[in-house]
Amino acid sequence: MLIKWIKCQVNEENKSSFSNAQKGWGELKQLDGFIGQIGGWDKNNPFEAGIISFWRDDRSYQAFMEQQHDGIFEKSNQRNTYSNISVQIFEKMFNISTTDMTDFLSKGSLLRVADCFVETNKQQLEFEHMQKEVWSKGMMASPGMLAGVFAEKKNGRYLVASLWDNDRSHQWYVDNKLPALIQSSGVKDPAIRITGSLIKVNPKWIVF
């Protein structure tokens, strides 16, 4: 599975237009290989939108980029609604749950995304091991964590995304589980850099 992580910087006066334009991506559901998309505004940065989408494989995604992307984009009138955009592509490694995250896109209200960079090959292997044996198990044991996914990109880049039923569940995890997981996993190592986003899901942006 291919995972696309998009962040857009949007000025206050353009937030409504951006949100309306985002609804135009509903056309994605007609495309072969498209699985789902979810997004909203970052709770800690109200002028940043975060959108994550899921594709069956690189072949179907590239076909979309070559054949349909520009048409949908122009029709949505979204071009002038943001000041900056970042797009990153990752390959799924494993689920952080017993089922796939895409099965819960219509059920979660909070999306946590961690964009991680790990410097050396040895540290990357350790990071992957800790994610599977420490972080994933700790998150799965947290009430309200619906599903998640761990994905990789070349050169030590990783994405960790989790979907939660509500803010209270995620805050319970932050207060009660996160400190021990940080200590056990060694993510405070200066060789590991993490940028986090906490997205309040907008139901009108969901496509599946």
Side-chain angles (χ1 to χ4, degrees):
M1 181 188 291
L2 182 146
I3 299 171
K4 183 177 185 178
W5 171 231
I6 307 166
K7 292 197 295 184
C8 295
Q9 303 296 322
V10 184
N11 296 329
E12 174 67 36
E13 61 270 22
N14 290 327
K15 287 186 67 173
S16 178
S17 296
F18 180 92
S19 186
N20 287 331
Q22 194 60 37
K23 301 172 191 176
W25 292 96
E27 293 187 30
L28 290 171
K29 62 186 177 183
Q30 305 171 12
L31 304 183
D32 180 53
F34 173 77
I35 300 173
Q37 179 166 285
I38 190 171
W41 301 105
D42 192 326
K43 287 173 63 67
N44 299 320
N45 184 354
F47 302 115
E48 182 171 277
I51 300 123
I52 191 168
S53 62
F54 303 85
W55 293 81
R56 183 179 61 216
D57 49 35
D58 184 66
R59 179 179 176 183
S60 56
Y61 172 70
Q62 291 301 330
F64 154 67
M65 291 299 296
E66 294 170 3
Q67 301 169 23
Q68 291 97 4
H69 175 275
D70 290 357
I72 298 175
F73 180 64
E74 293 299 328
K75 192 185 300 183
S76 73
N77 294 316
Q78 198 167 30
R79 181 183 299 276
N80 297 318
T81 64
Y82 58 86
S83 58
N84 190 45
I85 185 170
S86 168
V87 179
Q88 303 292 334
I89 305 296
F90 297 83
E91 289 281 351
K92 174 183 170 181
M93 293 186 70
F94 54 80
N95 290 327
I96 309 175
S97 53
T98 56
T99 54
D100 198 90
M101 184 172 164
T102 56
D103 294 336
F104 291 88
L105 296 186
S106 63
K107 300 175 183 178
S109 66
L110 192 71
L111 173 68
R112 166 66 177 173
V113 179
D115 190 344
C116 314
F117 175 75
V118 186
E119 288 186 2
T120 70
N121 289 334
K122 180 181 178 181
Q123 289 163 327
Q124 289 163 22
L125 292 174
E126 293 175 351
F127 183 78
E128 293 171 13
H129 175 77
M130 283 295 179
Q131 183 63 48
K132 192 167 189 176
E133 298 301 324
V134 177
W135 282 97
S136 295
K137 292 179 179 179
M139 293 173 72
M140 288 174 64
S142 299
M145 205 287 284
L146 301 176
V149 65
F150 181 66
E152 69 171 339
K153 186 178 180 179
K154 293 180 180 178
N155 302 321
R157 195 78 172 269
Y158 298 93
L159 189 80
V160 186
S162 57
L163 192 59
W164 300 78
D165 60 357
N166 55 53
D167 293 23
R168 293 188 305 276
S169 296
H170 182 263
Q171 191 59 50
W172 184 93
Y173 160 76
V174 170
D175 294 338
N176 296 279
K177 288 280 188 179
L178 187 60
L181 292 174
I182 290 174
Q183 185 174 4
S184 300
S185 65
V187 295
K188 291 296 187 180
D189 189 315
I192 301 174
R193 299 193 294 275
I194 299 176
T195 302
S197 299
L198 193 60
I199 307 298
K200 184 67 175 177
V201 175
N202 186 328
K204 295 180 180 179
W205 296 11
I206 299 174
V207 186
F208 65 95

